[in-house]
Amino acid sequence: MRISRRAERIEPFYVMEVAKAAAALAKEVAGTAQPMIFLNIGEPDFTAPPLVQQAAAQAIHAGNTQYTQATGLQNLRESISRWYATRFQANVAPSRIVITAGASAALQLACLALIEAGDEILMPDPSYPCNRHFVSAAEGTAVLVPTTAAERFQLSSAKVKVAWTDKTRGVLLASPSNPTGTSIAPEELRSIHEFVHSRGGITLVDEIYLGLSYEAHFGHTALAMPGGLGESVISINSFSKYFNMTGWRLGWLVVPEALAPVIERIAQNLFICPSTIAQHAALACFEPESLAEYERRRAEFKARRDYFIPELNRLGLTVPVMPDGAFYAYADCTAAAKRLGVSGSWDFAFELMKRAHIAVTPGRDFGTDAPERYIRFSTANSMGELKQAVARLEAVLG
């Protein structure tokens, strides 16, 4: 059977290989004094709040399970629009919002609508691997631009200008980012977008962790950029992270008005519509009771960050930039790997799995600029599990 070149360009998702090994070991150590602690997958340990679950059940019982418009329920788009206004002081018309089958579908739609074969999209190194694979699937080329801790592992306007060529179509940013949990400073983001816009390019911003921002200077949507600049940004968002609806597979895309009919046409053909039940459930996300619960959970995520990252630093797993959002710690494991007699984050991750029964994600997925130096911890686990992990790390690393 002949496999398409498009499929061959998609690299393996190495975090899943680690996850399979961790799952196998977890069966062996289940019921022992040290069961597996999974700090490798970026999934909140919280589930959807009660009102959201009740809304899903009510939709099923009422028979509200048939197709919706490809762009999603109008009242859900309006709810998201109001959320932008109250939470971020951003004026985002419902007509610019397209509900999607997760943030993955949102990014796929944006890439298919805007990228031609051979187009190049600039992205920071490190960055979330699936984002660049969506560019590849649309027959574009993801160009990874190395970044530093001093740059918060984010692109700068200066680097965008240097990397820009005749083939460049735009930039794909993430703020806050996976794997680093860092955001782009608002003034830097504006400078990047002004340059990209002046070249007729596109600015795509992955904002799926935007609700989980912890620092006042950050946590601003690119859609709120002044002077009308935010109206030409394309934002990808999700109900998975802040709204704790990972398996419900629901997200959204915000696009310029002129692009909305194009996205709708592609969505009609590829997806028909997102899950109707998930959409009806998501309406309850914006009830005052649910929003209060989400803010309580955001505070808990921040508390976990504030505990865990200083502990990693104390143990020699240095986190060079304090995350301002999401639930990740991107740690330099060079010194710790030497203590265990291994070299590089891949071997270190498996050695940690074997000795401490802790699953983490090596840097191989996230880019090509020194990925062997870094591992990613997820802090989406309970405080109790994080404290257990610290105790095990201390026992193993000394």
Side-chain angles (χ1 to χ4, degrees):
M1 181 181 295
R2 189 184 71 182
I3 306 300
S4 72
R5 292 181 182 177
R6 182 185 303 105
E8 295 289 357
R9 284 198 301 269
I10 305 300
E11 302 167 23
F13 197 6
Y14 292 108
V15 65
M16 294 307 176
E17 297 302 312
V18 177
K20 284 191 288 187
L25 182 57
K27 292 180 181 179
E28 297 179 23
V29 300
T32 69
Q34 283 200 346
M36 185 66 68
I37 297 176
F38 293 92
L39 303 183
N40 56 322
I41 302 296
E43 181 171 30
D45 59 333
F46 299 114
T47 59
L51 288 183
V52 177
Q53 297 183 41
Q54 292 166 19
Q58 289 167 4
I60 294 170
H61 291 313
N64 294 328
T65 58
Q66 296 172 314
Y67 295 140
T68 68
Q69 293 293 319
T71 52
L73 293 171
Q74 179 63 21
N75 49 353
L76 182 55
R77 298 162 75 195
E78 290 170 355
S79 293
I80 293 171
S81 175
R82 287 192 294 270
W83 183 67
Y84 276 117
T86 56
R87 177 72 183 268
F88 304 106
Q89 293 73 57
N91 181 21
V92 180
S95 55
R96 294 176 57 199
I97 299 170
V98 178
I99 311 300
T100 60
S104 297
L107 188 52
Q108 181 183 17
L109 288 167
C111 289
L112 291 176
L114 296 165
I115 296 174
E116 297 278 11
D119 284 347
E120 294 182 351
I121 301 293
L122 305 180
M123 300 174 61
D125 186 343
S127 59
Y128 183 57
C130 293
N131 286 5
R132 66 178 184 267
H133 296 162
F134 280 116
V135 173
S136 296
E139 301 188 11
T141 300
V143 177
L144 295 179
V145 179
T147 61
T148 66
E151 297 166 318
R152 305 183 58 76
F153 295 114
Q154 293 282 3
L155 286 184
S156 64
S157 57
K159 283 191 170 178
V160 170
K161 290 174 184 177
V162 169
W164 196 277
T165 71
D166 291 341
K167 293 183 178 180
T168 307
R169 181 73 177 102
V171 296
L172 173 51
L173 314 170
S175 186
S177 167
N178 177 2
T180 64
T182 61
S183 298
I184 307 174
E187 57 275 15
E188 192 67 52
L189 179 57
R190 179 175 179 176
S191 181
I192 291 171
H193 182 53
E194 285 178 335
F195 172 76
V196 172
H197 193 57
S198 73
R199 293 299 184 96
I202 54 174
T203 301
L204 295 108
V205 187
D206 173 348
E207 296 189 321
I208 71 173
Y209 295 99
L210 182 63
L212 293 175
S213 293
Y214 312 122
E215 310 296 339
H217 183 61
F218 303 103
H220 306 284
T221 176
L223 300 167
M225 275 193 279
L229 281 171
E231 295 179 5
S232 53
V233 167
I234 296 162
S235 171
I236 293 97
N237 217 312
S238 174
F239 283 95
S240 289
K241 309 303 182 180
Y242 176 72
F243 295 103
N244 308 151
M245 295 177 68
T246 50
W248 302 69
R249 307 315 304 134
L250 198 67
W252 73 87
L253 184 64
V254 181
V255 298
E257 289 281 3
L259 187 58
V262 178
I263 296 291
E264 180 178 11
R265 186 171 70 246
I266 301 172
Q268 287 169 337
N269 284 276
L270 291 187
F271 302 106
I272 300 179
C273 71
S275 164
T276 301
I277 297 167
Q279 290 188 69
H280 281 288
L283 285 167
C285 291
F286 302 100
E287 293 293 332
E289 180 182 327
S290 296
L291 290 172
E293 176 62 14
Y294 287 131
E295 285 302 288
R296 187 194 69 76
R297 294 176 180 185
R298 182 170 71 97
E300 175 62 22
F301 281 126
K302 181 179 183 297
R304 296 171 184 180
R305 177 202 71 164
D306 292 347
Y307 161 73
F308 193 67
I309 291 179
E311 289 295 297
L312 289 181
N313 289 331
R314 179 177 67 84
L315 294 170
L317 288 160
T318 306
V319 180
V321 188
M322 184 66 162
D324 58 83
F327 36 64
Y328 300 113
Y330 201 53
D332 189 330
C333 67
T334 306
K338 286 182 181 178
R339 284 191 231 171
L340 297 190
V342 297
S343 177
S345 60
W346 183 263
D347 290 342
F348 178 74
F350 280 90
E351 196 69 15
L352 206 59
M353 192 187 306
K354 181 174 70 175
R355 295 199 196 185
H357 300 167
I358 297 173
V360 299
T361 301
R364 182 180 294 184
D365 266 325
F366 303 114
T368 58
D369 186 44
E372 69 280 356
R373 287 181 56 189
Y374 293 98
I375 55 172
R376 187 196 72 180
F377 291 88
S378 168
T379 57
N381 299 52
S382 70
M383 187 68 83
E385 281 205 328
L386 294 177
K387 289 182 177 180
Q388 287 183 44
V390 168
R392 293 188 197 178
L393 287 169
E394 190 158 25
V396 169
L397 296 174

